[in-house]
Amino acid sequence: MSDKKIIAVTGATGTQGGGLVRAILADPSGGFAARAITRDTTKDKAQALASQGAEVVAGDLDDVESLKKAFAGAHGVYAVTNFWEHFSGAKEIQQAKNIAEAAKAAGVQHIIWSTLEDTRKLMAPDDKRMPMLQEKYRVPHFDAKAEADVHFAGLPVTFLIVSFYWDNLYLFGLAPKKGEDGTYSWTFPMGDAKLPGIAAEDIGKTAYGIFKAGQQYIGKTVGIAGENLTFNEMSQKLEQGLGISPVKFNAVDADVFRGFGFPGADEYGNMFQVYRDFEKEVVALRSIDETRKLNPQLQNFDQWLATNKSKVQAATQPAS
């Protein structure tokens, strides 16, 4: 065991980090060991990872000294922040800076930073098609991550640009909901644009592929996706995969969506509008072929849905 290269994984009890830990543990002869970093090592998800063979270590993204200790002796670090925990672009940037500083201090040889593109570069500052949020962002959880890229400059880093994960259908309740008339419907400002998507578990598997490939990916940006689909196409696949009908997609204006008023409505509205208005740029940044090369088990939407059918089915039911 001692000769295995340790990968320290932030967000290990979350979606992306958890997937990477499981990918490492599923390959016992791969030469890598998983060190799961979490604020609370006693919580159920952390204990579950420990029982599966991961080393579970305490570390807090807001405490750089705790991260230095957590990364000590590690070969690699998977760096991911969780905007949806606090909704603050400034906090995300600070957490990324803490990770980068700790990784540098620990002398790790490979960092994967889970980032996203800067949507502000797609529009002029005076472009009025969508509002600025938090005073300086178009899509804070995209732009802040992109802004944080600079903190990894000069380090042995791979910039991993992920896609919308289909698991959001049940994790964030984005699945179409069944109405009183029996129709399932969902509403987004996406028009007929294709949305690059991926199974959340495949993010971790692909990141593991990058760690295994090693040096050739240092200094590179890798955009990943499993399949590009319109919401109408996803609606048809949900009908077939879940055995429900009809599933209706309502394409609304982004201003209407931002006005829905739920927490994050403006953020989501801007994000989907970027996916719609800049479909070509968003899709071009992500390569399904490259993703499959790194992760031969890459799933398309139908395969993901078959695996997660019961979770998505439950998410389509109206709140009781």
Side-chain angles (χ1 to χ4, degrees), residues 144-188:
K145 286 184 175 70
E147 201 170 303
D149 289 354
V150 67
H151 296 300
F152 294 91
L155 298 178
V157 63
T158 301
F159 296 99
L160 182 69
I161 297 180
V162 303
S163 292
F164 175 88
Y165 19 114
W166 298 316
D167 303 70
N168 287 333
L169 270 62
Y170 62 85
L171 291 173
F172 282 84
L174 300 186
K177 293 290 189 291
K178 186 177 183 179
E180 292 182 2
D181 64 353
T183 297
Y184 295 78
S185 63
W186 49 353
T187 301
F188 296 104

Side-chain angles (χ1 to χ4, degrees), residues 76-273:
V77 166
Y78 186 76
V80 63
T81 52
N82 183 10
F83 174 88
W84 304 107
E85 190 173 75
H86 47 71
F87 291 84
S88 168
K91 190 178 182 76
E92 270 210 304
I93 292 170
Q94 183 60 54
Q95 289 182 341
K97 183 180 180 182
N98 290 345
I99 295 170
E101 182 181 332
K104 182 177 181 179
V108 303
Q109 296 177 48
H110 194 173
I111 304 160
I112 296 178
W113 163 230
S114 178
T115 187
L116 287 163
E117 62 262 51
D118 193 332
T119 65
R120 295 169 297 186
K121 293 182 178 180
L122 298 169
M123 289 161 272
D126 60 352
D127 192 316
K128 301 299 184 185
R129 78 181 77 187
M130 67 180 68
M132 298 298 282
L133 304 178
Q134 300 183 27
E135 297 184 352
K136 64 174 186 173
Y137 302 121
R138 296 290 189 178
V139 184
H141 80 281
F142 275 62
D143 303 342
K145 286 184 175 70
E147 201 170 303
D149 289 354
V150 67
H151 296 300
F152 294 91
L155 298 178
V157 63
T158 301
F159 296 99
L160 182 69
I161 297 180
V162 303
S163 292
F164 175 88
Y165 19 114
W166 298 316
D167 303 70
N168 287 333
L169 270 62
Y170 62 85
L171 291 173
F172 282 84
L174 300 186
K177 293 290 189 291
K178 186 177 183 179
E180 292 182 2
D181 64 353
T183 297
Y184 295 78
S185 63
W186 49 353
T187 301
F188 296 104
M190 275 292 292
D192 59 357
K194 288 186 180 292
L195 173 68
I198 195 166
E201 198 72 5
D202 281 328
I203 299 174
K205 289 179 179 179
T206 306
Y208 182 47
I210 293 172
F211 279 124
K212 288 193 293 183
Q215 288 290 124
Q216 62 181 295
Y217 282 96
I218 288 176
K220 292 189 176 180
T221 296
V222 181
I224 63 173
E227 190 171 10
N228 303 318
L229 296 167
T230 68
F231 270 87
N232 278 321
E233 288 171 337
M234 281 191 279
S235 296
Q236 293 169 9
K237 289 178 177 295
L238 289 168
E239 287 182 351
Q240 295 162 3
L242 300 180
I244 59 177
S245 184
V247 176
K248 181 183 178 184
F249 168 58
N250 301 310
V252 295
D253 185 78
D255 282 335
V256 172
F257 190 90
R258 283 186 283 266
F260 285 165
F262 63 86
D266 51 359
E267 170 95 12
Y268 274 119
N270 282 14
M271 177 187 75
F272 284 116
Q273 186 176 355

Side-chain angles (χ1 to χ4, degrees), residues 9-14 35-47 49 55-61 66-67 70-71:
V9 183
T10 67
T13 58
R35 178 182 292 168
I37 312 299
T38 181
R39 278 175 305 199
D40 183 357
T41 60
T42 65
K43 63 183 176 183
D44 290 347
K45 287 184 177 180
Q47 289 298 301
L49 292 175
E55 175 191 10
V56 178
V57 174
D60 188 335
L61 299 188
S66 77
L67 293 177
F71 296 167

